[in-house]
Amino acid sequence: MIDRRNMLKIAGGYAIGWHVPGASAPVFSWNFEGGSLVKVETLGTDRFRCHVKGQTDQDGRNRQASWYYFCVDGANGRTLNFEMVDLAGEYNYHPTTGSITSGTLPFYSVDRQTWIAVDEGEYDRKGPALRYQVRVPSNRISNRIWIAHVPPYTTGDFERLARELMQSRSAGIETIGKSVEGRSIPLITITDQSVPLQDKKVIWLMFRQHAWEAGSSWTGEGLMRFAVSDDAKAIEIRRRAVLKILPLNDPDGVANGAVRFNHYGYDLNRNWDVVDPEKMPEITAERKAIFSWMDAGHPVDFFLTLHNDEDNEHLVGPPDSQWLPLLHRVWDAWAAGATVSPTEDAHLMEATTTAGKPGRMNVVQGLSHDRGLPAFEIEMRITKHPKLGRRPNIEDRLLAGQELLLAIWKGL
Ligand SMILES: [Zn+2]
């Protein structure tokens, strides 16, 4: 007969394993790709205060603390209690209590394949601080768990995807430039090469301008996997369209576990009204790739950048009403999907002028301003999703990518 009193309750079942009294304290680390934390204080037995690193811009402003990713060794069978602190910051120069709240509790994993949402926690707005508990199952393969703000997506994940995509005759990859720290900025092209280019629609897509938004990369991966698949709709899209995809637009930030600024502190989804190849080589490379394509006589029928947000889920267009009908067609198709639940009606964003204060133009405003492109931006939420009934996980993001491409294609 099994005595369940000492067993660990996990995910609706029981695992064989016990907490070992007197076992040595867990060891924290974050010196791996995408890892981020400042320090950990021990408050008591299996109670820890974790200081979130955050990141400021080139002027030391707009601190955002919406990324952490760390490993706990010696975790098996323990009930670990965490308190996340140093959460406050600024957004667009306005002070905030930060993005880490009871709505954005972490995910944890014992294998970095399956990420489990922590669903209970206590948020102290005054701190601000977020407290939660993780009951770690005893697994015999590893004595570790990983904890992150959202399921991570590293440059290693992208390299794995790129190798798989290159098995397809419909996909090609090139390097359009280097980041400040010398990492490649990739451009992926997906199309049926047996069909002449002049007969095709051209769709440019951009993912992961901000490092913390790992969900953007998972959505991009889902979109690309679907685009090279044997699905009849994907075959049709490849025959009638060219996909030009910028999947990883801040590779330094992703590798270093940064939040939303590049090596020098520049927001890569602002500053599209600034040309600075030294401080922002990422934007320089991306703009050059798009403009070179257009200067060679090719159209851009649709441009989209995809981001994550805490609560918002929406599609916005450039400050030009010419594109409103297209925006609404894509919007209606997108909002009908299983993974999308809009929080506001589709709308056009305001124009940002460079007069007085350069550096505030995002990619949509920049491409619209410079070349009149039908450029759009999507935000997808990381908090509990009304349609899904949970916080979106990797599988939801992958499906969202498929739904997104189908919506764009329907709208065009
Ligand atoms: Zn973003």
Side-chain angles (χ1 to χ4, degrees):
M1 185 177 166
I2 297 173
D3 179 356
R4 291 191 163 175
R5 281 174 303 180
N6 288 326
M7 297 178 70
L8 299 157
K9 193 169 190 305
I10 51 160
Y14 288 87
I16 304 290
W18 286 264
H19 174 75
V20 182
S24 57
V27 176
F28 286 68
S29 61
W30 51 89
N31 59 340
F32 48 83
E33 207 205 6
S36 179
L37 214 57
V38 176
K39 64 174 178 178
V40 178
E41 295 174 65
T42 301
L43 303 178
T45 304
D46 290 348
R47 303 186 74 83
F48 305 97
R49 179 178 290 141
C50 302
H51 293 256
V52 176
K53 189 173 181 185
Q55 191 184 21
T56 55
D57 67 14
Q58 73 277 10
D59 301 320
R61 297 293 303 272
N62 293 309
R63 178 178 190 267
Q64 195 169 324
S66 47
W67 183 246
Y68 56 87
Y69 178 21
F70 58 90
C71 175
V72 187
D73 261 301
N76 277 2
R78 292 178 184 268
T79 298
L80 301 171
N81 295 276
F82 300 96
E83 178 181 273
M84 310 305 292
V85 296
D86 297 346
L87 310 181
E90 283 186 320
Y91 184 71
N92 284 338
Y93 299 96
H94 296 292
T96 72
T97 50
S99 311
I100 293 172
T101 67
S102 55
T104 58
L105 283 156
F107 287 74
Y108 75 93
S109 175
V110 297
D111 58 6
R112 292 202 280 188
Q113 304 288 321
T114 301
W115 288 85
I116 298 159
V118 175
D119 280 328
E120 281 181 40
E122 180 189 306
Y123 179 61
D124 171 9
R125 182 173 287 276
K126 280 188 190 150
L130 179 67
R131 299 181 192 94
Y132 57 90
Q133 191 177 73
V134 178
R135 293 182 180 197
V136 184
S138 285
N139 72 87
R140 298 166 70 180
I141 302 164
S142 162
N143 194 17
R144 292 176 170 173
I145 62 160
W146 286 265
I147 295 179
H149 183 50
V150 293
Y153 191 103
T154 62
T155 65
D157 289 315
F158 172 72
E159 284 159 15
R160 167 190 48 76
L161 172 69
R163 282 194 297 274
E164 289 179 38
L165 288 176
M166 292 314 117
Q167 304 298 312
S168 165
R169 280 181 304 172
S170 305
I173 188 167
E174 62 196 286
T175 295
I176 58 164
K178 299 278 186 184
S179 65
V180 174
E181 295 176 13
R183 293 184 178 85
S184 294
I185 300 169
L187 172 65
I188 288 177
T189 302
I190 297 175
T191 194
D192 181 340
Q193 299 199 41
S194 69
V195 180
L197 201 57
Q198 65 264 26
D199 299 333
K200 290 170 171 167
K201 296 274 190 190
V202 180
I203 301 167
W204 275 80
L205 301 166
M206 198 172 199
F207 299 94
R208 205 71 181 278
Q209 284 183 289
H210 294 140
W212 81 265
E213 298 164 17
S216 170
S217 286
W218 286 114
T219 307
E221 173 157 339
L223 185 145
M224 287 184 266
R225 284 188 181 283
F226 175 69
V228 300
S229 75
D230 293 332
D231 183 278
K233 209 72 191 171
I235 292 169
E236 180 198 327
I237 292 171
R238 290 201 299 273
R239 286 188 63 78
R240 296 177 56 200
V242 183
L243 306 182
K244 306 289 286 185
I245 299 164
L246 294 160
L248 202 59
N249 293 285
D250 180 17
D252 293 347
V254 171
N256 297 332
V259 181
R260 69 175 287 132
F261 306 115
N262 81 347
H263 175 92
Y264 288 117
Y266 289 94
D267 187 329
L268 299 176
N269 195 33
R270 299 291 186 271
N271 295 297
W272 279 73
D273 51 349
V274 179
V275 176
D276 190 336
E278 188 199 328
K279 297 279 175 56
M280 294 173 255
E282 300 88 358
I283 293 178
T284 302
E286 293 148 18
R287 182 161 33 207
K288 184 163 173 253
I290 297 163
F291 289 178
S292 299
W293 171 262
M294 297 184 74
D295 293 342
H298 305 304
V300 174
D301 296 293
F302 193 88
F303 176 94
L304 176 82
T305 180
L306 190 136
H307 290 253
N308 289 129
D309 188 84
E310 283 71 39
D311 300 306
N312 288 313
E313 198 144 273
H314 62 216
L315 171 61
V316 292
D320 182 343
S321 62
Q322 179 190 352
W323 305 115
L324 203 52
L326 173 58
L327 174 72
H328 276 288
R329 287 198 300 275
V330 173
W331 165 266
D332 291 345
W334 185 63
T339 58
V340 177
S341 183
T343 50
E344 56 188 324
D345 202 3
H347 61 274
L348 302 173
M349 61 178 75
E350 288 181 14
T352 297
T353 61
T354 58
K357 199 175 186 184
R360 302 310 296 161
M361 213 180 245
N362 61 33
V363 61
V364 168
Q365 293 162 330
L367 294 179
S368 170
H369 175 269
D370 291 351
R371 297 291 179 111
L373 287 191
F376 304 93
E377 178 176 302
I378 278 177
E379 298 279 359
M380 296 194 81
R381 88 183 85 203
I382 64 164
T383 48
K384 189 175 178 183
H385 196 281
K387 265 190 197 168
L388 297 167
R390 60 180 172 268
R391 282 184 291 147
N393 211 326
I394 291 170
E395 292 70 27
D396 303 315
R397 298 298 186 201
L398 294 171
L399 179 59
Q402 175 177 331
E403 291 189 340
L404 174 61
L405 182 58
L406 290 170
I408 294 168
W409 186 240
K410 197 172 178 186
L412 278 176

